Amino acid sequence: MPLALLALAVGAFGIGTTEFVTMGLLPDVAADLGISIPSAGHLVSAYALGVVVGAPLLAAATARMPRRKVLIWLMVLFVAGNALSALAPDEHWLLAARFLSGMPHGAFFGVGAVVATNLVAPERKARSVSLMFLGLTVANIAGVPVATLMGQHFGWRVTFLGVSAIGLAAIAALALLLPTEGAQAGRGSASGSASAGLRGELTALRSLPVWLALGTTVAGFAALFSAYSYITPMLTDSAGYAETSVTLLLALFGVGATVGNLVGGRLADHSMRGTLFGGLTSLIVVLSLFPALMSTQWSAALAVILLGVAAFITGSPLQLMVMEKAAAAPSLASSANQAAFNLANAGGAWIGGLSLAAGFGATAPAVAGAVLAVLGLGVAGVAYGVDARRAAAPRAGQGRVVASYVPGEAETVHA
């Protein structure tokens, strides 16, 4: 695999660290700023909102720029947002800084995925995307625990300065390792052309298969976050773990996510649709077994690992599917997939919370997640049916005049 993928993984590592570390530092931030922990929790929402807003906005605004330059400037914005977070004098400034920190998140992964696939042969595209996402999953193993310990011992502001330093390392890696030809190749390859611009990017979002792929992302990852958002009370109330053990167990989730991401990327290069169906089915099974698995400590630890594996098997095929469905101009659609991921984060946590508040028990969010995974599998099945009908249409039209239209090209007629 090209060394340039390492530069993308470094950026993903920084983004993954800043996204999840805030959750572990909420008590420290609240105490320092003199606010309640629920108020400090708004910082997580501000970051997620920045992702949802920034992903399509920045991808659209930079549609005509070389992708290498786009990635570097996105990391500059990332560094600025985290540095401002460290220097924020009060809650309101910190909320604005976290929103700014989240804005480049979705666009970086979206544009980065397009660049990654253009650095490798067609039969290794999914693997290249999984290697970029490797930085995100490794962040849950090493970046988040280390950054959390830094914040607890030296202050939460030091943590955000440390994340800014990771961003600076990513900028240097992108500038040194990412070839200009790789970014330019993306504009002239099957993934799109520079002439597509903003209009071509927006046209790509009018496609039903793109929206079905995004819908699969929302439902599938909402299933994950319905359970993962409440994994701590499951581990403490159901499995009997002490709260001090939770950090180590969450690192096990990162191990599972890393394994699932790598396996999913390799399998998706052989069968993208099969890997997606298999991953969603595995997620349904794992979440359905959570009530039983959370009954003992050893099986609860196994459940955390399996959750990471099953959920992240689908990451690469979903990202690649969105890009292929929007092949004329994939950057905006690819970035929109990251916005869908964060909508899944918020929606899944909300649905899981409803099941918990209803009094169905500590493992109820996992059962709700299984239902969401079934929904995701259903949407994926509908998408498969739509693709099958579209593929059959030209064969059914043999012998008569059939019109076909490709965005950005003149309408053609085939006999």
Side-chain angles (χ1 to χ4, degrees):
M1 283 291 179
L3 192 60
L5 290 174
L6 175 63
L8 297 173
V10 172
F13 178 81
I15 290 173
T17 300
T18 200
E19 180 180 19
F20 293 107
V21 75
T22 307
M23 302 172 189
L25 295 176
L26 289 184
D28 303 270
V29 174
D32 184 51
L33 297 181
I35 59 177
S36 66
I37 290 181
S39 295
H42 294 158
L43 299 172
V44 178
S45 301
Y47 183 92
L49 182 61
V51 178
V52 173
V53 173
L57 183 63
L58 293 178
T62 58
R64 290 188 176 276
M65 291 176 59
R67 289 179 179 137
R68 177 176 178 272
K69 182 180 292 186
V70 170
L71 290 170
I72 291 173
W73 278 108
L74 288 172
M75 288 311 300
V76 169
L77 184 60
F78 171 83
V79 170
N82 282 280
L84 289 173
S85 297
L87 301 173
D90 56 41
E91 175 191 5
H92 303 294
W93 279 97
L94 186 55
L95 281 170
R98 295 314 294 156
F99 177 85
L100 181 65
S101 301
M103 287 193 70
H105 176 132
F108 182 88
F109 280 111
V111 176
V114 177
V115 171
T117 58
N118 287 327
L119 290 170
V120 299
E123 65 273 13
R124 298 171 72 90
K125 285 185 175 182
R127 208 173 309 177
S128 72
V129 173
S130 72
L131 289 177
M132 181 187 70
F133 284 149
L134 185 63
L136 179 65
T137 57
V138 170
N140 283 282
I141 302 173
V144 174
V146 171
T148 301
L149 289 174
M150 285 178 56
Q152 292 171 344
H153 287 84
F154 303 108
W156 61 271
R157 298 179 188 275
V158 173
T159 293
F160 288 122
L161 287 176
V163 173
S164 297
I166 297 174
L168 291 174
I171 291 172
L174 290 167
L176 293 173
L177 299 179
L178 196 63
T180 303
E181 294 78 12
Q184 291 175 341
R187 294 301 190 183
S189 70
S191 296
S193 64
S195 61
L198 177 57
R199 183 178 180 182
E201 298 281 352
L202 292 174
T203 299
L205 288 185
R206 296 169 58 185
S207 167
L208 176 60
V210 170
W211 282 102
L212 288 172
L214 292 174
T216 306
T217 296
V218 172
F221 276 96
L224 164 65
F225 285 110
S226 177
Y228 186 71
S229 300
Y230 304 97
I231 195 70
T232 296
M234 290 188 208
L235 292 170
T236 56
D237 297 348
S238 294
Y241 277 103
E243 289 187 6
T244 53
S245 303
V246 171
T247 300
L248 177 60
L249 291 165
L250 294 184
L252 290 179
F253 173 82
V255 172
T258 300
V259 172
N261 175 54
L262 292 175
V263 170
R266 184 172 292 272
L267 292 177
D269 279 328
H270 297 285
S271 175
M272 183 170 61
R273 189 86 62 175
T275 303
L276 178 58
F277 286 162
L280 288 171
T281 302
S282 300
L283 188 58
I284 293 169
V285 172
V286 170
L287 289 172
S288 298
L289 291 175
F290 248 60
L293 293 173
M294 284 291 161
S295 60
T296 64
Q297 291 190 347
W298 72 267
S299 59
L302 177 63
V304 172
I305 297 173
L306 292 176
L307 179 63
V309 174
F312 279 85
I313 280 178
T314 64
S316 297
L318 277 171
Q319 188 73 33
L320 193 60
M321 185 175 296
V322 170
M323 291 163 55
E324 291 191 352
K325 300 307 177 187
S331 292
L332 180 56
S334 181
S335 299
N337 195 50
Q338 295 301 311
F341 180 89
N342 277 268
L343 286 174
N345 189 339
W350 177 67
I351 292 173
L354 289 178
S355 66
L356 201 59
F360 294 127
T363 58
V367 178
V371 174
L372 289 169
V374 171
L375 177 61
L377 186 60
V379 176
V382 172
Y384 175 75
V386 169
D387 287 345
R389 285 196 300 270
R390 292 192 174 196
R395 293 193 297 270
Q398 289 179 358
R400 67 177 185 269
V401 177
V402 178
S404 65
Y405 175 70
V406 178
E409 298 181 4
E411 188 171 300
T412 56
V413 179
H414 307 280

